[in-house]
Amino acid sequence: MIFNTALVDALMAGDHADPFAVLGMHFEGGALVVRALLPGADQVWVLDAADGATLARLERCGASAVFAGAVAEPSAGPSEGRAAPFPYRLRVDWHGTLHEHEDAYRFPSLFTGDYGGRPYEAMGAHPTRIDGVDGVNFVVWAPNARRVALVGAFNSWDGRRHGMRLHPQRGVWEIFIPQIGPGELYKFEIKTAFGATLLKADPYAFRAQLRPETASVVHALPAVVPAPPERQRANALNSAVSIYEVHLGSWRRADHGRRWLNYRELAEQLVPYVRQMGFSHIELLPVQEHPFDGSWGYQPTGLYAPTSRFGSPEDFRFLVETAHAAGIGVLLDWVPGHFPTDAFALAGFDGTHLYEHADPKEGFHQDWNTLIYNYGRQEVRDFLAANALYWIERYGIDGLRVDAVASMLYRDYSRKEGEWVPNIHGGRENLEAIAFLRRMNELVCSQRPEAITMAEESTSFPNVSRPLEMGGLGFHYKWNMGWMNDTLRYMQEDPVNRKHHHDKISFGIVYAFSENFVLPLSHDEVVHGKGSILARMPGDHWQRFANLRAYYGFMWGHPGKKLLFMGCEFAQAREWDADASLDWHLLDDPAHAGVQRLVRDLNNVLRAYPALHQVDFEQRGFEWISHEDRENSVLSFVRRADDGSCVLVICNFTPVCRPGYRIGVPAAGRYRELINTDQLQYGGSGVGNGVLATDPSGMHGRAQSLALTLPPLATLMLVLEN
């Protein structure tokens, strides 16, 4: 029946669950019937798409905005001539203005449900062409919705205009909108099973509006980035890895601090600086779209969209390409552990707890007032695991630092007794999250073996950075939070008391080879009242800088890859403020400039001497000379490379110069200082050794030894000259 009051009322109320069964062209009662819902239209005609001929004028259905009419002579069946559906266009009189357009309801479905581990290739908004007509195909997962419609400026944000087609077997809704393209704003209007209407951004959007606006933006799926072998070599366990962690909004600001640098300006300024400083990688605090600046990106709402704060997706890709051209890898902080409760995003997406757990004991993160993903749901696992691959494949990202892994591994994380739900075995481990992390790492390793993943994991959960086939989680690296906490506590002690806390500085070696560790001095150590790293060093002005330099020397000599948060490389004096630029003016002070020069030289030495990086994760790459001189707060050890070459590291953590301090050495010969953190050029007192020859005085169980002058509060690195 062409006209049906109940049907028209349902369409006008936006309450018809299957508009594709009604709107568009259908064979009914022996004729082809066209229906169109066009609020605001005065008249509507059907045109033949082949030649533009007018085929019919549609009649308004009562006082509604539904227009309907037959466009072909009655026929015995749909296979005879023009009785079969054919391409057509609509001419619409909008209050005296005529406009011709394609009807979204004449186009077939493109969704096959087969996306081979890359759902982003089908889900979301994809510019495409059907039957010679350009447009955008939209797909969204909302299995419990009563109805889903696409809204945007192209339909005056009217949810009645473009109700979507349901694929019930997958719980997804789809529609092709002709004659629109990249740059269009859109959302999904979802009517829940309970009758409420929600307006949601696209979880798979490749671009999003700048906050406080929340619409998704049509953008083409970025092309796949080739995987050059040199990137895999740079990420390898035996490479020199020194990471510069950056918050893009506060590294440096333009116009006297009034605006952010954009991605292209960062490519021009940040990348050359990182290269000059000798870092191998830049790690970016989350760049996925997020609504609240104060979250620093750790509460993302658009996992597939680079934040529009700093430009377009193409601009972000330019930043990555510029870094690669300079020989610098790019790592992203990635947040699969939780998401914010903002109404426009994932929370209660289709009126049910779709992405999150329904039980707050499982689905609500008490520390951050956020929601926890339901890792037991296949579509959620696919959404997240594919996102990890997306950034690597489509932007050439070299690796992901996975945030808050500990909060994912344990069901009782930050919860009291009675506030959490045990797993099926009655234990505290989150078996579903563990399976997800293993699957994510497997996907990344199998599809992009040049890339790496790093876990920010603060507990002693075993085998985080061990391969899947060994029962591990499959991460390449794990942040060494224990080392960071112990050594910072040690450095905060007055040097006169350090002999009572000597184990804190040496204890890291006890477990240094149980995982593939990164030594992190990250943003978390310079916020929330902790002050800067420099501010935590004891003593007067000179001693604070000397302590910091000695600490950095120890860190670069210690087994493990290195990570330093921006500003720490020049001894930022105040706590990090995400709303302001770093204090670059401090470099006018020789003390700050000296620390910056030291970090640059440490990075250059790290890269130049394999003994300092090649065997970071095996006992054979490290040997104590002595960790027992707690009375003088002195440590000494050897770092070794595969070819047997070595670097000696000696640390004096008291402000006392120690002439004639003897240490045993691996071999006789002349040893030259590579690094002396007390050099004048670094702001030190200038006490040093230059080149020293061994003598056959036994020490520390070795036949040969050196008599050194240990500078006050300093670290030395020495190498045997050939």
Side-chain angles (χ1 to χ4, degrees):
M1 181 180 294
I2 292 178
F3 176 78
N4 179 292
T5 301
L7 182 151
V8 169
D9 288 347
L11 290 171
M12 290 302 297
D15 202 29
H16 198 288
D18 188 11
F20 272 85
V22 179
L23 300 175
M25 182 179 286
H26 299 272
F27 190 81
E28 295 179 1
L32 284 173
V33 173
V34 173
R35 298 186 187 87
L37 198 167
L38 298 166
D42 290 333
Q43 298 184 81
V44 182
W45 295 266
V46 177
L47 311 180
D48 192 324
D51 57 15
T54 300
L55 300 179
R57 176 177 177 274
L58 303 184
E59 299 295 328
R60 185 186 299 274
C61 300
S64 75
V66 177
F67 296 80
V71 297
E73 294 295 324
S75 175
S79 62
E80 297 183 12
R82 295 302 295 269
F86 58 89
Y88 66 93
R89 293 167 59 87
L90 298 176
R91 177 185 292 145
V92 183
D93 179 355
W94 302 98
H95 306 303
T97 299
L98 294 179
H99 180 261
E100 291 186 12
H101 66 82
E102 301 285 348
D103 184 3
Y105 290 95
R106 84 163 180 86
F107 293 94
S109 169
L110 297 180
F111 182 76
T112 65
D114 180 19
Y115 40 69
R118 293 172 174 82
Y120 52 82
E121 294 183 350
M123 307 294 291
H126 292 268
T128 189
R129 170 173 286 201
I130 303 180
D131 296 339
V133 177
D134 290 324
V136 179
N137 201 57
F138 297 86
V139 181
V140 64
W141 179 54
N144 304 303
R146 181 190 299 176
R147 178 194 65 96
V148 179
L150 186 77
V151 295
F154 49 86
N155 62 14
S156 301
W157 300 92
D158 188 336
R160 298 171 297 178
R161 288 279 303 276
H162 290 118
M164 301 176 74
R165 172 194 285 116
L166 173 64
H167 295 270
Q169 73 281 6
R170 298 300 294 268
V172 304
W173 302 73
E174 178 195 24
I175 193 169
F176 174 77
I177 305 295
Q179 298 173 299
I180 67 169
E184 288 280 357
L185 304 180
Y186 70 99
K187 283 190 175 184
F188 297 110
E189 184 182 279
I190 297 175
K191 181 160 283 190
T192 74
F194 310 103
T197 300
L198 309 175
L199 204 57
K200 293 288 188 176
D202 184 358
Y204 283 92
F206 304 134
R207 189 171 182 179
Q209 275 188 301
L210 176 62
R211 57 92 179 103
E213 303 302 327
T214 58
S216 301
V217 183
V218 173
H219 192 275
L221 176 65
V224 172
V225 177
E230 60 267 21
R231 298 309 324 147
Q232 186 168 5
R233 290 194 295 270
N235 290 334
L237 299 181
N238 63 356
S239 293
V241 174
S242 181
I243 303 163
Y244 188 60
E245 187 189 28
V246 175
H247 175 256
L248 293 179
S250 60
W251 178 73
R252 181 178 288 159
R253 293 203 172 195
D255 299 338
H256 303 287
R258 289 190 292 270
R259 73 168 179 86
W260 300 306
L261 295 178
N262 60 43
Y263 290 124
R264 291 182 180 268
E265 290 171 322
L266 287 160
E268 294 170 359
Q269 299 181 40
L270 173 63
V271 171
Y273 177 76
V274 172
R275 180 171 183 174
Q276 174 192 348
M277 288 297 298
F279 288 99
S280 64
H281 293 72
I282 305 171
E283 180 179 317
L284 304 178
L285 269 62
V287 300
Q288 291 84 2
E289 195 57 82
H290 52 282
F292 177 48
D293 292 355
S295 78
W296 313 329
Y298 287 100
Q299 294 192 12
T301 51
L303 258 66
Y304 285 82
T307 179
S308 53
R309 286 167 175 79
F310 313 117
S312 68
E314 289 78 14
D315 296 333
F316 176 69
R317 184 157 167 161
F318 178 80
L319 171 59
V320 177
E321 290 171 345
T322 302
H324 286 166
I328 298 166
V330 181
L331 310 174
L332 288 190
D333 273 18
W334 187 57
V335 188
H338 64 125
F339 60 93
T341 59
D342 298 71
F344 73 90
L346 293 182
F349 189 79
D350 65 354
T352 67
H353 299 284
L354 191 61
Y355 285 86
E356 70 273 27
H357 285 280
D359 187 342
K361 291 182 179 181
E362 296 183 277
F364 185 75
H365 205 302
Q366 301 176 81
D367 288 354
W368 303 315
N369 293 322
T370 52
L371 301 174
I372 300 171
Y373 288 104
N374 183 351
Y375 304 105
R377 185 165 282 161
Q378 182 67 47
E379 292 86 352
V380 175
R381 295 196 301 271
D382 288 348
F383 170 73
L384 292 171
N387 186 251
L389 186 61
Y390 166 82
W391 290 103
I392 296 166
E393 280 196 336
R394 301 289 172 163
Y395 284 98
I397 295 302
D398 296 271
L400 303 172
R401 175 266 195 185
V402 183
D403 180 63
V405 170
S407 74
M408 302 171 65
L409 295 177
Y410 299 103
R411 288 173 164 267
D412 64 344
Y413 181 86
S414 196
R415 295 179 188 272
K416 300 175 183 176
E417 187 175 351
E419 295 179 346
W420 58 282
V421 179
N423 63 35
I424 58 172
H425 305 299
R428 57 194 287 257
E429 295 79 13
N430 190 327
L431 302 179
E432 295 81 8
I434 291 169
F436 158 71
L437 290 170
R438 289 171 56 86
R439 168 59 182 152
M440 180 274 296
N441 283 319
E442 178 186 38
L443 184 65
V444 169
C445 288
S446 63
Q447 300 301 309
R448 296 297 289 232
E450 82 282 4
I452 54 175
T453 59
M454 298 180 176
E456 187 224 1
E457 204 285 306
S458 56
T459 74
S460 56
F461 193 91
N463 300 320
V464 170
S465 58
R466 293 294 179 256
L468 300 175
E469 58 270 23
M470 294 175 58
L473 290 183
F475 286 94
H476 299 82
Y477 296 100
K478 173 180 173 175
W479 275 24
N480 195 336
M481 313 297 283
W483 176 91
M484 176 272 299
N485 283 314
D486 285 347
T487 58
L488 277 177
R489 287 195 197 100
Y490 176 84
M491 295 305 300
Q492 287 177 256
E493 292 288 342
D494 189 297
V496 74
N497 295 322
R498 284 177 178 165
K499 62 185 178 182
H500 304 299
H501 303 275
H502 196 65
D503 291 343
K504 281 189 172 66
I505 198 71
S506 62
F507 181 68
I509 293 299
V510 172
Y511 58 90
F513 312 110
S514 63
E515 299 276 4
N516 302 331
F517 281 123
V518 173
L519 310 181
L521 293 179
S522 73
H523 67 279
D524 279 331
E525 309 320 313
V526 293
V527 291
H528 304 319
K530 296 176 184 176
S532 68
I533 301 295
L534 175 66
R536 292 152 82 171
M537 299 295 111
D540 60 22
H541 180 271
W542 187 91
Q543 288 179 343
R544 287 192 298 118
F545 279 89
N547 271 300
L548 184 64
R549 294 192 304 269
Y551 184 40
Y552 284 171
F554 168 70
M555 175 178 174
W556 260 254
H558 195 283
K561 308 309 181 186
K562 324 303 175 191
L563 180 141
L564 198 63
F565 184 58
M566 63 180 199
C568 295
E569 81 278 10
F570 62 81
Q572 172 103 349
R574 63 179 173 85
E575 187 170 279
W576 171 51
D577 179 0
D579 296 320
S581 173
L582 295 178
D583 294 333
W584 293 100
H585 65 275
L586 292 176
L587 289 171
D588 294 334
D589 181 336
H592 292 274
V595 173
Q596 184 192 51
R597 184 170 184 172
L598 171 65
V599 171
R600 181 198 66 192
D601 289 353
L602 285 169
N603 280 332
N604 291 337
V605 166
L606 178 74
R607 179 181 292 110
Y609 289 86
L612 291 172
H613 66 256
Q614 197 175 70
V615 193
D616 265 325
F617 308 122
E618 298 178 56
Q619 181 67 57
R620 63 187 177 87
F622 174 90
E623 181 183 351
W624 281 116
I625 297 173
S626 174
H627 59 87
E628 298 169 349
D629 190 1
R630 64 176 60 243
E631 191 64 31
N632 292 311
S633 299
V634 174
L635 290 174
S636 52
F637 52 88
V638 179
R639 295 296 312 279
R640 296 186 186 278
D642 282 328
D643 64 2
S645 62
C646 64
V647 171
L648 310 186
V649 182
I650 307 98
C651 305
N652 177 15
F653 289 116
T654 62
V656 178
C657 182
R658 303 190 185 280
Y661 191 93
R662 188 168 291 277
I663 66 166
V665 295
R670 293 166 59 84
Y671 286 81
R672 174 174 53 87
E673 283 184 346
L674 291 176
I675 289 289
N676 178 346
T677 66
D678 191 52
Q679 286 182 355
L680 292 173
Q681 63 187 349
Y682 303 141
S685 63
V687 175
N689 296 272
V691 178
L692 291 173
T694 62
D695 59 63
S697 300
M699 192 70 183
H700 298 127
R702 294 168 173 83
Q704 296 287 323
S705 63
L706 287 173
L708 297 163
T709 296
L710 295 187
L713 293 173
T715 293
L716 304 178
M717 292 184 184
L718 291 85
V719 64
L720 180 65
E721 290 192 325
N722 294 327

